Amino acid sequence: MTGASATILGCAGPVLTPDEAAFFAETRPWGFILFARNIETPDQLRRLTGDLRKAVGRDAPVLIDQEGGRVQRMGPPHWRQWRPALDQVRAAGPDRAARSMGLRARLIADELRDVGIDANCAPLADVARDTTHPVLLNRLYGTKVPDIVAVARAVAEGLLAGGVLPVLKHLPGYGLGAVDSHKTLPRVTAPLDHLRAVDFAAFRPLADLPMGMSAHMVYEAIEDGLPATMSPALIAMIRDEIGFQGLLMTDDLSMGALSGTLAERATLSRRAGCDIILHCNGDRAEMAEVVAASGPLDGIAQDRAEQALNQRRAPDVLDIDAIEADLATLLNGQVYG
């Protein structure tokens, strides 16, 4: 990992161009992230993940958002179409939700590993409310902290059993977001004691997970001006109060919630304590700006990155028929979207 930049980057399409390969060879991002624009068929995807790793000359992590429901980059006809998480959790009921979501995560991991993807941006520990913006609401696991923790742990363990690293999101909790952070910066006015008792509490039992993602949201009780991604005070709370010591990446820096140039966003995020800068849209000029501002992956950030990658492992033995039958029983036959 020596010499990697503190970035995770995307590429423009389903094939890595020679120009992109040369750019990645020069800038050496720590990892890559894929979106629907990068995905056509299993064989094509295997070539792409292999070419991305070849460009940087190492077994770099390749990430994806494969939650199920609307946030699912791989889908039919080659991969399963999953229901939104909240729909499945409610269908299973409180006694069976965690098991059903863990089995689902194990199947998702099998699909990801088959095409060379070894990190998934899940689970979510954000606490749902009636006011949670619709862009997030049905991606969540419930309204009660113990239930959310149980489901999130099961999802993480299902992914790990399939050889896929989980990415916990969105630290320190996005459930109070009433606007879409892809477009607008959410602001939370809840007092600190409420955040500690509810939103932060959902993340504390999951603080041992290898990687996490920050929330582009202002928590006025802690830092009135800056979103968590860029706030030293919020990052300190994630580390010290919630106890998360894994690799912390930003959410996508190109989202509309953030202001300033991409260089300014990357600089502030690293200064605040984020280990890795995530940039997703594959735009070459933007990526160059982000890489220059993000700097090298070194010090404690490099240590955390190495510790995360050390948790990659070969998948456990998988009986797909047995898992699908178990899921169908838990969900009364309504397994897929």
Side-chain angles (χ1 to χ4, degrees):
M1 194 188 306
T2 302
S5 72
T7 55
I8 296 171
L9 303 178
C11 59
V15 176
L16 188 67
T17 68
D19 182 64
E20 286 176 319
F23 173 75
F24 291 143
E26 178 184 357
T27 57
R28 296 181 58 78
W30 179 73
F32 301 95
I33 187 164
L34 300 181
F35 287 84
R37 66 178 185 269
N38 306 120
I39 295 166
E40 292 178 342
T41 68
D43 285 343
Q44 166 269 325
L45 199 45
R46 291 183 197 105
R47 286 192 296 270
L48 178 59
T49 55
D51 288 345
L52 288 168
R53 292 185 170 108
K54 182 178 178 181
V56 293
R58 56 186 160 79
D59 188 17
V62 178
L63 294 78
I64 198 168
D65 289 286
Q66 190 75 354
E67 298 173 13
R70 184 177 54 79
V71 180
Q72 174 171 339
R73 315 307 183 193
M74 296 160 52
H78 302 292
W79 302 281
R80 299 172 181 88
Q81 178 64 50
W82 300 100
R83 304 165 76 183
L86 191 57
D87 290 354
Q88 177 166 323
V89 165
R90 288 172 171 168
D95 295 334
R96 302 186 295 181
R99 177 162 175 76
S100 79
M101 289 292 288
L103 293 174
R104 159 174 156 158
R106 182 62 186 88
L107 292 175
I108 288 173
D110 183 61
E111 292 184 333
L112 299 183
R113 277 293 297 244
D114 178 62
V115 293
I117 298 169
D118 57 5
N120 190 18
C121 297
L124 288 72
D126 309 295
V127 180
R129 273 86 161 188
D130 291 341
T131 56
T132 302
H133 192 276
V135 78
L136 180 67
L137 181 59
N138 72 355
R139 299 163 56 192
L140 304 186
Y141 304 156
T143 60
K144 298 178 180 178
V145 169
D147 295 341
I148 293 164
V149 171
V151 172
R153 175 63 67 182
V155 170
E157 290 180 353
L159 292 172
L160 286 165
V164 172
L165 293 175
V167 179
L168 177 65
K169 59 189 187 186
H170 305 81
L171 287 152
Y174 182 28
L176 284 168
V179 299
D180 181 2
S181 63
H182 295 87
K183 301 176 181 179
T184 307
L185 180 62
R187 301 185 70 90
V188 171
T189 59
L192 182 55
D193 59 353
H194 178 83
L195 294 172
R196 285 173 166 154
V198 181
D199 297 84
F200 297 178
F203 284 91
R204 289 191 198 103
L206 303 164
D208 61 305
L209 294 183
M211 296 194 288
M213 179 183 290
S214 68
H216 294 337
M217 188 154 72
V218 171
Y219 302 78
E220 293 183 0
I222 304 160
E223 170 75 77
D224 186 38
L226 294 171
T229 300
M230 300 177 178
S231 167
L234 263 299
I235 300 301
M237 294 197 79
I238 290 169
R239 295 299 191 191
D240 301 332
E241 184 164 329
I242 292 175
F244 180 76
Q245 297 303 316
L247 182 75
L248 183 63
M249 69 183 70
T250 70
D251 206 340
D252 181 14
L253 276 204
S254 61
M255 287 167 62
L258 304 181
S259 59
T261 67
L262 284 167
E264 291 167 343
R265 299 177 190 187
T267 298
L268 286 172
S269 299
R270 295 272 353 245
R271 285 179 182 170
C274 289
D275 299 312
I276 294 276
I277 303 301
L278 177 65
H279 181 272
C280 295
N281 66 26
D283 181 278
R284 169 67 178 275
E286 289 189 8
M287 289 192 293
E289 184 178 359
V290 167
V291 168
S294 300
L297 184 65
D298 55 14
I300 192 170
Q302 183 174 355
D303 293 342
R304 290 174 181 139
E306 291 176 351
Q307 289 164 10
L309 292 186
N310 286 341
Q311 294 194 45
R312 291 190 296 192
R313 69 188 201 220
D316 296 343
V317 174
L318 176 66
D319 186 336
I320 292 178
D321 292 340
I323 288 182
E324 289 188 327
D326 199 353
L327 260 180
T329 299
L330 292 170
L331 297 171
N332 300 313
Q334 302 297 312
V335 176
Y336 304 115

